[in-house]
């Protein structure tokens, strides 16, 4: 009889928290840069008119335009590490699944039931793989948002450049 043990339940909860903490830790610098832009840009409706302000100097926007892609590159390297680990973990799981299934040949149950039993035997490895995939998705999401912020900063810089703002607003 297969059993989902209290230790496995606890491990799942711990790994869920680990995934959340890892995503928060690894994307922290990039999220700070996004927050800088978010707090510097203000738009509101005043007496039926849209009023917007941007409290970033040209120099600050130049630094953001350099720093955001640099942080994204760092995170992409981290993603590559997670993807490499997952690729080999997938191979490991497939091989172990084949071995587990071969050991269940001739036992009671349908092929689908035997497959589930073999998968359950590899639950710990599957959970670790799932955690890495969650971390990858979380970091990819942060990079995607940062890319949009970067494009916005770049558009404002291009506009200011065309309008001659950099010499008047920089410093």
């Amino acid at each position: 009889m297969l059993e989902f043990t209290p230790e496995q339940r606890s491990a799942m909860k711990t790994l869920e928290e680990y995934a959340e903490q890892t995503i928060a830790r690894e994307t922290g610098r990039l999220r700070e840069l996004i927050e800088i832009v978010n707090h510097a840009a203000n738009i509101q409706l005043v007496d039926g008119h849209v009023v917007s302000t941007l409290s970033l100097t040209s120099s600050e926007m130049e630094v953001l335009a350099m720093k955001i892609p640099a942080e994204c590159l760092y995170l992409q390297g981290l993603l590559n590490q997670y993807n490499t680990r997952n690729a080999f973990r997938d191979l490991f799981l497939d091989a172990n699944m084949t071995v587990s299934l071969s050991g269940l040949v001739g036992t009671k149950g349908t092929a689908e039931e035997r497959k589930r039993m073999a998968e359950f035997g590899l639950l710990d490895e599957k959970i670790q793989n799932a955690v890495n995939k969650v971390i990858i998705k979380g970091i990819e999401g942060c990079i995607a948002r940062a890319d949009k912020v970067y494009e916005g900063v770049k558009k404002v810089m291009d506009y200011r450049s065309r309008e001659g703002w950099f010499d008047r607003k920089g410093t």
Side-chain angles (χ1 to χ4, degrees):
M1 182 72 175
L2 296 175
E3 181 184 350
F4 188 46
T5 66
E7 292 82 14
Q8 287 173 320
R9 291 177 198 273
S10 176
M12 285 183 72
K13 184 65 177 165
T14 301
L15 287 171
E16 177 185 351
E17 292 168 4
Y18 167 77
E20 290 172 1
Q21 291 169 0
T22 300
I23 292 167
R25 181 183 68 246
E26 296 298 347
T27 62
R29 290 186 305 243
L30 191 54
R31 286 182 295 112
E32 286 174 5
L33 295 172
I34 293 169
E35 281 301 309
I36 288 169
V37 175
N38 188 39
H39 290 305
N42 187 20
I43 187 165
Q44 54 187 323
L45 191 60
V46 177
D47 296 329
H49 299 294
V50 175
V51 177
S52 63
T53 58
L54 179 61
S55 60
L56 289 173
T57 66
S58 296
S59 296
E60 291 167 337
M61 290 195 344
E62 288 171 356
V63 172
L64 280 168
M66 290 185 291
K67 189 69 173 160
I68 290 172
E71 287 297 326
C72 288
L73 180 61
Y74 163 78
L75 288 176
Q76 190 59 53
L78 191 64
L79 285 178
N80 292 343
Q81 292 173 1
Y82 278 107
N83 280 321
T84 299
R85 278 188 231 139
N86 267 16
F88 287 100
R89 187 172 278 138
D90 283 339
L91 292 171
F92 172 80
L93 283 171
D94 288 344
N96 276 341
M97 178 67 79
T98 301
V99 170
S100 295
L101 283 172
S102 69
L104 295 174
V105 171
T107 60
K108 285 185 168 185
T110 65
E112 185 62 32
E113 289 169 340
R114 287 191 302 268
K115 181 180 177 193
R116 282 191 197 140
M117 287 192 320
E119 286 177 344
F120 193 76
L122 299 171
L123 184 61
D124 293 341
E125 291 86 359
K126 290 182 71 133
I127 291 170
Q128 290 174 359
N129 214 23
V131 166
N132 276 354
K133 289 178 182 180
V134 167
I135 290 170
I136 289 167
K137 288 289 184 195
I139 292 173
E140 284 174 340
C142 189
I143 290 172
R145 287 187 304 277
D147 189 48
K148 303 245 185 267
V149 171
Y150 168 77
E151 289 299 322
V153 167
K154 188 120 171 42
K155 284 179 184 179
V156 171
M157 287 176 57
D158 290 346
Y159 171 77
R160 285 184 175 183
S161 176
R162 282 192 305 274
E163 297 295 319
W165 284 28
F166 273 92
D167 292 334
R168 290 183 271 157
K169 298 272 184 169
T171 313

